[in-house]
Amino acid sequence: MERAIIPKGRFAPSPSGRIHLGNILCCLLAWLSARQSGGRIVLRVEDLDTARCPRRYALQMEEDLRWLGLNWDEGPGSGGADGPYYQSERTARYQAALDHLADRGLVYPCFCTRAELHAASAPHREDGQVVYAGTCRRLTAAEAAERAGTRAPALRLRVPEEEIAFTDGHMGVCRENLARDCGDFLLRRSDGMFAYQLAVVVDDAAMGVTQVVRGADLLSSTPRQLLLYRLLELPAPEFIHFPLLLAADGRRLSKRNADAGLDSLQGRLTAAEILGKLAYLAGFNSSAEPKTAEMLLEDFSWDSVPREDLRIPEGLF
Ligand code: GLU
């Protein structure tokens, strides 16, 4: 018998420091969107880069989400049948997916150094990523074996010459020709770390996620992920991307904006004050008045969320 499809959203943060307003908005929208459809929420900690994401940051983040009233049904502290919920503990699953792709001849080793990648001067994407020129795709098995004697390779996926189109739940129709706009992309780095693109697909599918809510900076990752869903024969979730939150000066939020971090906010504002102001900024609270996540459920609608970047006005927080 097929499993009944329960709507399921997720929080998938990479805890590389204390959370900031951008992370909070992401979790708030994911929470509202899932809860409004009667869905469950999974918390998955994306700590593949264990040096940048030590466990103490993850624990702090879990405490912060609880303080904000953004609860989850499956994940650290909540149990669930699809764990473990830390990516650093799921590498055997990523290896199995990689093997599955490799068995079908879709994976090849890449020996390019960072300098070589940049020097290959393939056009850069708008988001600053380099389009891989395909240098190592053409190596013979003998050449690859010889190079492997001196340098551990990264592993790349052969992408087809084809346009991938999808309809984002908020941003509308998006399309990309992966061969032209991205090139063969990484599945595993030369130091053995699995790539985000592979891990996120394996995990969202394994955890039964039906709805992915995340910032528009990941919109351009979606065609790569859709290709992986297809190649791994896994059902793809619905994707809903929301506009980025920018500092008052129009730049991306970063460690420079210390006042946007929960570290600073928590001393000055209650959880309901933070959520109410964020919801106002994102179009679904008529004023900046304090509201809990539960209260915001009542009026939440994706229709009122803008599609352009959201600039945090001076003095709002
Ligand atoms: N872990 C990613 C981040 O924190 C998000 C991944 C996703 O939502 O697909 O940026």
Side-chain angles (χ1 to χ4, degrees), residues 100-120:
H100 183 67
L101 297 169
D103 286 347
R104 287 150 66 201
L106 294 168
V107 179
Y108 66 88
C110 170
F111 300 90
C112 295
T113 60
R114 194 175 294 240
E116 282 165 346
L117 290 176
H118 282 270

Side-chain angles (χ1 to χ4, degrees), residues 52-104:
R52 282 187 61 228
C53 303
R55 190 56 60 96
R56 68 173 192 284
Y57 285 158
L59 297 175
Q60 176 71 60
M61 180 200 67
E62 291 160 27
E63 197 180 309
D64 289 343
L65 290 175
R66 285 194 193 98
W67 181 80
L68 287 161
L70 299 171
N71 57 352
W72 57 96
D73 311 292
E74 300 167 31
S78 298
D82 304 316
Y85 293 96
Y86 292 92
Q87 286 194 323
S88 57
E89 296 171 9
R90 300 179 61 82
T91 48
R93 290 161 172 88
Y94 312 140
Q95 186 61 51
L98 185 66
D99 291 344
H100 183 67
L101 297 169
D103 286 347
R104 287 150 66 201

Side-chain angles (χ1 to χ4, degrees), residues 10 12-15 23 26 44 46 87 196 200 204 212-215 217-218 225:
R10 43 72 148 183
S14 300
N23 311 123
C26 185
R44 178 179 67 245
E46 302 218 322
Q87 286 194 323
Y196 153 70
V200 78
D204 278 334
V212 167
V213 172
R214 61 190 180 193
D217 53 333
L218 289 169
Q225 293 169 18

Side-chain angles (χ1 to χ4, degrees), residues 33-260:
S33 196
R35 292 295 188 227
Q36 207 169 51
S37 53
R40 294 169 66 77
I41 310 238
V42 186
L43 167 61
R44 178 179 67 245
V45 180
E46 302 218 322
D47 62 346
L48 280 174
D49 189 340
T50 47
R52 282 187 61 228
C53 303
R55 190 56 60 96
R56 68 173 192 284
Y57 285 158
L59 297 175
Q60 176 71 60
M61 180 200 67
E62 291 160 27
E63 197 180 309
D64 289 343
L65 290 175
R66 285 194 193 98
W67 181 80
L68 287 161
L70 299 171
N71 57 352
W72 57 96
D73 311 292
E74 300 167 31
S78 298
D82 304 316
Y85 293 96
Y86 292 92
Q87 286 194 323
S88 57
E89 296 171 9
R90 300 179 61 82
T91 48
R93 290 161 172 88
Y94 312 140
Q95 186 61 51
L98 185 66
D99 291 344
H100 183 67
L101 297 169
D103 286 347
R104 287 150 66 201
L106 294 168
V107 179
Y108 66 88
C110 170
F111 300 90
C112 295
T113 60
R114 194 175 294 240
E116 282 165 346
L117 290 176
H118 282 270
S121 74
H124 287 233
R125 302 160 57 106
E126 278 169 32
D127 57 12
Q129 289 181 55
V130 177
V131 177
Y132 184 58
T135 317
C136 291
R137 188 195 252 249
R138 294 178 280 274
L139 292 179
T140 63
E143 285 168 336
E146 193 197 317
R147 297 225 192 158
T150 54
R151 185 179 160 82
L155 298 174
R156 289 186 184 271
L157 181 77
R158 285 175 202 278
V159 305
E161 182 68 61
E162 155 197 329
E163 185 173 82
I164 298 199
F166 68 101
T167 304
D168 183 81
H170 191 55
M171 297 298 189
V173 176
C174 304
R175 46 183 96 243
E176 185 168 274
N177 178 311
L178 284 177
R180 188 191 62 211
D181 303 329
C182 169
D184 297 338
F185 59 88
L186 285 180
L187 297 174
R188 208 178 72 188
R189 297 187 347 183
S190 59
D191 62 3
M193 189 191 296
F194 287 95
Y196 153 70
Q197 308 292 354
L198 180 67
V200 78
V201 166
V202 168
D203 288 347
D204 278 334
M207 295 176 183
V209 169
T210 62
Q211 187 182 82
V212 167
V213 172
R214 61 190 180 193
D217 53 333
L218 289 169
L219 194 57
S220 67
S221 284
T222 310
R224 276 172 273 177
Q225 293 169 18
L226 284 169
L227 174 64
L228 285 171
Y229 278 106
R230 190 173 84 200
L231 296 175
L232 292 167
E233 296 156 83
L234 296 170
E238 174 192 16
F239 290 95
I240 307 181
H241 289 84
F242 63 86
L244 289 184
L245 209 54
L246 302 180
D249 61 7
R251 295 203 278 173
R252 291 276 295 271
L253 285 183
S254 70
K255 297 220 160 59
R256 264 181 308 111
N257 312 105
D259 51 340

